[in-house]
């Protein structure tokens, strides 16, 4: 019965940690009367810091998570969330906001503990149920954030500062659930299960032994072409998505500022709608489908379509168009990434899942950092927000063209192979 308690606690923690109603209007709060930052400061001096922080912390967090056996990092994530949103609510000045972004990066990097804790704690027979339950809590949290924030803004019963206090409160309560999680006695590398006694842990291996285990799992996973292909696309897609998700509110604010006919922002409603649609799209991907033959073409076409609508969002002056683009992009992204994740997962050993997805996440953060430095951060091109979205659109167009070329090459190879088989023997 312990696995059911773990599933319930993870779902509750996921719901609370994702209930951050202040997030959907964070740009409006930072550039509003409470903080008075300019859009350029937010775009080029504040937001990029979290990208650099996530990249720097991810590798350390991954190894420390395994060494400390997950739960302490989950607690650290909730504590860093409380600190992050407290600074947003009460802090002033760019340097303090940059420090806040470091904590925000830590909060996101620590997600690796949340998503791998279940695999170390529960029996493999319950992986699917526990994972699905945790995902439901996660999505319900995002949905409730969108609904609450939109009602607060539309009905004017709570200020944007008030939403910050709600977020601090849910983060504080999530700490209680993090502390209530059962401790883990084993982990994948530093505290491996003994082969003779299933409930016991092997003697703690040396760092050199852990490195050898990591390298062996990495080599076994990435010697497969399919794993390399889906992992490369996953990292490219996630890196691009994080850029879009990080800077979309600045684009929306720019559009709203230039369009006096549309005075209401619907950020929360958009978040709620695309969370629900994304959950439905993810559910559809659970149907058994063979993506080995047509997967390249599907993700290639998705990438091309995403690039096209990103450019549409960049040139459009309509809030309705930009919101629609965000919903379509977010919904289809979650479905496509779920397919890529499942294609990778079914080709690697279960013990190597955390390593492979950790490495892919690192790749996504590297790409996000490169994009941030190139187009948004100080010292780069420092493009305005619309020019940035044109770059993101071109980024996805290039990805789409590359994967469609791979699909075409595969199709031609299969056709040549079929013709050779049909040639009669002399």
């Amino acid at each position: 019965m312990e696995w059911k308690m773990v599933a319930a606690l993870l779902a509750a923690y996921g719901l609370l940690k994702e209930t951050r109603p202040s997030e959907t209007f964070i740009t409006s709060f930072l550039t509003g009367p409470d903080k008075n930052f300019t859009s350029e400061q937010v775009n080029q001096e504040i937001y990029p810091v979290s990208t650099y922080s996530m990249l720097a912390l991810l590798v350390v967090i991954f190894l420390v998570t395994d060494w400390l056996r997950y739960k302490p990092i989950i607690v650290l994530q909730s504590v860093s969330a409380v600190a992050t949103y407290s600074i947003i609510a009460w802090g002033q000045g760019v340097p303090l906001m940059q420090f806040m972004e470091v904590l925000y990066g830590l909060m996101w990097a620590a997600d690796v503990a949340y998503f791998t804790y279940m695999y170390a704690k529960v029996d493999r027979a319950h992986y699917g149920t526990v994972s699905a339950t945790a995902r439901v809590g996660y999505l319900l949290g995002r949905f409730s954030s969108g609904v609450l924030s939109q009602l607060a803004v539309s009905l004017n019963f709570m200020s944007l500062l008030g939403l910050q206090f709600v977020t601090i409160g849910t983060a504080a309560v999530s700490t209680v659930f993090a502390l209530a999680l059962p401790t883990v006695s084993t982990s994948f590398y530093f505290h491996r299960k003994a082969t003779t006694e299933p409930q016991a842990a092997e003697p703690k291996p040396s760092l050199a032994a852990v490195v050898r285990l990591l390298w062996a799992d990495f080599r076994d996973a990435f010697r497969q072409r399919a794993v390399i292909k889906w992992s490369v696309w996953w990292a490219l897609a996630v890196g691009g998505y994080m850029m879009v998700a990080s800077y979309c509110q600045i684009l929306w604010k720019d559009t709203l500022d230039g369009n006096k006919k549309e005075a209401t922002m619907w950020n929360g409603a958009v978040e709620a709608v695309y969370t629900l649609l994304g959950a439905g799209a993810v559910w559809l991907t659970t149907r058994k489908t063979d993506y080995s033959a047509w997967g390249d073409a599907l993700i290639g076409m998705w990438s091309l379509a995403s690039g096209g609508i990103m450019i549409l969002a960049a040139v459009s002056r309509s809030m309705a168009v930009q919101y629609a683009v965000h919903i379509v992009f977010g919904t289809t992204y979650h479905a496509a990434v779920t397919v890529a994740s499942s294609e990778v997962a079914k080709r690697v050993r279960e013990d190597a899942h955390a390593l492979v997805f950790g490495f892919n996440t690192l790749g996504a953060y590297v790409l996000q950092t490169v994009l941030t430095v190139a187009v948004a951060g100080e010292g780069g091109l420092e493009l305005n927000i619309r020019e940035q979205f044109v770059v993101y659109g071109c980024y996805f167009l290039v990805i789409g063209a590359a994967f469609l070329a791979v699909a075409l090459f595969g199709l031609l190879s299969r056709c040549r192979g079929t013709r050779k088989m049909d040639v009669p023997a002399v």
Side-chain angles (χ1 to χ4, degrees):
M1 293 296 290
E2 186 185 33
W3 70 269
K4 293 183 178 180
M5 180 181 70
V6 170
L9 287 171
L10 282 174
Y13 176 75
L15 185 151
L16 288 163
K17 87 180 185 70
E18 291 302 315
T19 302
R20 303 190 300 264
S22 60
E23 288 262 296
T24 50
F25 292 96
I26 186 63
T27 299
S28 298
F29 179 72
L30 293 176
T31 57
D34 290 288
K35 301 299 171 184
N36 283 317
F37 295 115
T38 65
S39 295
E40 288 72 22
Q41 285 177 311
V42 173
N43 186 17
Q44 297 173 1
E45 298 180 41
I46 297 175
Y47 282 177
V49 175
S50 64
T51 300
Y52 310 144
S53 172
M54 283 187 280
L55 177 61
L57 291 168
L58 181 64
V59 176
V60 176
I61 288 292
F62 177 79
L63 293 175
V64 171
T65 293
D66 193 275
W67 181 46
L68 295 179
R69 287 173 282 195
Y70 310 98
K71 179 178 173 178
I73 304 302
I74 297 176
V75 174
L76 175 64
Q77 181 183 47
S78 58
V79 171
S80 64
V82 173
T84 295
Y85 294 103
S86 296
I87 293 174
I88 294 175
W90 289 295
Q92 295 290 340
V94 170
L96 189 54
M97 290 299 132
Q98 289 174 329
F99 175 68
M100 173 274 295
E101 290 289 341
V102 173
L103 294 176
Y104 187 75
L106 172 62
M107 184 182 80
W108 275 102
D111 247 2
V112 67
Y114 173 70
F115 286 112
T116 55
Y117 168 90
M118 67 189 80
Y119 300 117
K121 184 61 184 175
V122 304
D123 188 84
R124 291 179 181 178
H126 304 303
Y127 277 2
T129 303
V130 176
S131 178
T133 305
R135 177 63 64 176
V136 167
Y138 178 91
L139 292 173
L140 282 175
R142 297 195 63 173
F143 175 75
S144 62
S145 294
V147 172
L148 177 58
S149 62
Q150 191 60 57
L151 289 174
V153 170
S154 297
L155 301 180
N156 199 29
F157 70 82
M158 188 181 297
S159 66
L160 295 183
L161 180 59
L163 291 177
Q164 301 296 330
F165 297 146
V166 173
T167 301
I168 294 169
T170 56
V173 177
S174 75
T175 306
V176 176
F177 284 88
L179 290 168
L181 286 169
T183 56
V184 178
S185 59
T186 62
S187 64
F188 292 119
Y189 296 104
F190 284 98
H191 309 276
R192 295 174 70 86
K193 288 182 180 179
T195 54
T196 53
E197 300 179 35
Q199 300 303 317
E202 291 182 347
K204 193 172 181 180
S206 65
L207 180 59
V210 170
V211 171
R212 287 195 296 270
L213 287 169
L214 286 166
W215 172 244
D217 284 347
F218 180 87
R219 182 185 57 205
D220 289 343
F222 286 98
R223 66 174 46 169
Q224 304 175 63
R225 286 186 178 181
V227 172
I228 294 173
K229 176 188 67 180
W230 286 102
S231 294
V232 167
W233 181 85
W234 190 94
L236 290 167
V238 172
Y241 169 80
M242 289 192 293
M243 292 300 295
V244 172
S246 297
Y247 292 92
C248 62
Q249 289 189 39
I250 300 177
L251 177 64
W252 297 344
K253 184 179 183 300
D254 180 80
T255 300
L256 192 68
D257 289 345
N259 191 345
K260 301 304 180 183
K261 293 181 181 179
E262 298 181 75
T264 303
M265 298 193 77
W266 296 94
N267 301 15
V270 169
E271 179 76 12
V273 169
Y274 111 74
T275 299
L276 282 183
L277 292 178
V282 168
W283 179 80
L284 289 176
T285 65
T286 61
R287 302 172 66 179
K288 291 186 177 180
T289 305
D290 183 10
Y291 292 100
S292 58
W294 302 106
D296 296 336
L298 287 174
I299 59 178
M301 288 187 290
W302 177 85
S303 300
L304 283 178
S306 296
I309 62 176
M310 283 301 106
I311 294 175
L312 173 62
V315 300
S316 175
R317 298 287 173 175
S318 168
M319 291 296 297
V321 169
Q322 291 181 355
Y323 283 149
V325 164
H326 191 72
I327 291 171
V328 171
F329 175 70
T331 300
T332 56
Y333 161 82
H334 285 297
V337 164
T338 300
V339 170
S341 298
S342 65
E343 289 297 302
V344 171
K346 70 185 184 183
R347 290 175 169 85
V348 302
R349 293 190 307 104
E350 289 179 335
D351 286 353
H353 282 176
L355 172 64
V356 172
F357 287 110
F359 180 78
N360 291 348
T361 302
L362 176 63
Y365 285 173
V366 168
L367 289 165
Q368 184 188 14
T369 301
V370 170
L371 285 171
T372 300
V373 171
V375 305
E378 289 185 296
L381 297 175
E382 298 184 18
L383 303 178
N384 66 48
I385 192 61
R386 293 188 180 275
E387 292 170 337
Q388 286 181 41
F389 269 75
V390 170
V391 171
Y392 305 151
C394 293
Y395 171 85
F396 280 108
L397 289 175
V398 171
I399 295 171
F403 275 86
L404 283 178
V406 171
L408 180 60
F409 178 79
L411 177 62
L412 292 175
S413 298
R414 288 194 296 272
C415 289
R416 283 197 298 268
T418 302
R419 282 198 295 270
K420 288 180 180 178
M421 292 177 62
D422 291 341
V423 174
V426 179

